[in-house]
Amino acid sequence: MAAAAKPGSKRAELRDFKRGQILAAARRIFAERGMEAATMREIAAAAGCTTGAIYPLFPGKEEIYAALLRDSLTQAEAALLAALALPGNDGEKLKRGVLAWFGYYAARPAEVALGLHLFRGGRQQAGLGPHGLGETIDRDLNARMLRQLDAFGALLGGIGKLSPSLQQIETASLFAHLLGLLMAQHTGRLKTLGQPAETLLNHHLDALIARLQWE
């Protein structure tokens, strides 16, 4: 005879289920409305619950947004690390890692929009509402993203024997290129150019690696 499930485990399962429902609903609302415009009432309606059912799990929409970002960054980092774990020289690893990272976000347009919140220049910048994620949450999420960029930077520095300042410049340049390419793909702009994003990215990486090796 199977043992009965413990009451505590049942409660934990129900809590996890509700949390998943809320996050899935919030992802849709944030994608449609943006974090600043979205309301807890809209998230609750999309999740099929009341706002009172959300607050024990998330004190506010900022915490919901942060949970979605944290999950996205964790999965993107896992894809990156899996690619970097394969054997190869720095150039091969850089290309494989960048393609894996890009592929993750290329398949998830909503997560690109989520991630852009981290790089909007702080809570007081134009275009950002008065209720940001907060200093502690922003610091944690930015650290997760920067950890991924540091992996790219280390490989770039190894390929080109770069100084720390040049390594930072090359890393920022690569990141800007990736963001631009993602935005161009997700807005449909690449269709007018007749070139898929992967072809353009491969070309850029081959040229970048060749330049660093030459220099």
Side-chain angles (χ1 to χ4, degrees):
M1 183 175 178
K6 295 181 180 179
S9 65
K10 285 281 191 181
R11 285 194 294 269
E13 288 176 7
L14 180 59
R15 181 184 178 90
D16 290 343
F17 177 75
K18 289 181 177 178
R19 186 177 186 276
Q21 281 188 311
I22 293 166
L23 290 176
R27 183 180 287 107
R28 296 194 301 272
I29 296 299
F30 288 146
E32 295 169 2
R33 307 260 291 142
M35 191 192 76
E36 286 79 22
T39 67
M40 292 290 276
R41 188 180 298 276
E42 289 172 327
I43 294 170
C49 66
T50 65
T51 54
I54 296 180
Y55 287 117
L57 297 171
F58 300 102
K61 65 180 181 180
E62 290 81 9
E63 285 76 17
I64 298 175
Y65 203 97
L68 289 170
L69 274 171
R70 192 174 291 111
D71 181 62
S72 174
L73 290 169
T74 298
Q75 292 186 58
E77 185 173 22
L80 169 61
L81 293 178
L84 296 184
L86 298 174
N89 58 39
D90 284 350
E92 292 167 339
K93 288 191 173 187
L94 176 68
K95 187 171 183 179
R96 194 167 53 234
V98 169
L99 289 171
W101 187 92
F102 181 86
Y104 176 86
Y105 284 109
R108 299 166 177 81
E111 293 188 25
V112 176
L114 284 173
L116 285 175
H117 187 97
L118 295 177
F119 294 93
R120 294 178 67 178
R123 294 173 62 180
Q124 303 303 318
Q125 294 294 317
L128 183 61
H131 303 293
L133 297 182
E135 184 178 353
T136 300
I137 295 175
D138 278 339
R139 188 186 305 117
D140 169 57
L141 294 172
N142 271 294
R144 290 170 182 264
M145 172 61 82
L146 292 174
R147 193 164 61 223
Q148 297 172 40
L149 299 186
D150 286 344
F152 293 149
L155 293 170
L156 288 165
I159 296 167
K161 305 298 187 290
L162 303 175
S163 66
S165 60
L166 282 178
Q167 181 174 312
Q168 289 183 343
I169 291 172
E170 292 289 359
T171 303
S173 178
L174 175 59
F175 182 60
H177 182 85
L178 290 171
L179 280 185
L181 197 54
L182 283 168
M183 296 302 292
Q185 174 171 286
H186 290 323
T187 57
R189 299 302 182 187
L190 287 182
K191 291 181 180 178
T192 61
L193 301 177
Q195 292 291 337
E198 291 76 11
T199 298
L200 297 176
L201 182 54
N202 271 291
H203 177 79
H204 178 80
L205 290 172
D206 288 340
L208 171 61
I209 292 168
R211 175 173 62 80
L212 291 175
Q213 290 173 335
W214 177 260
E215 292 177 352

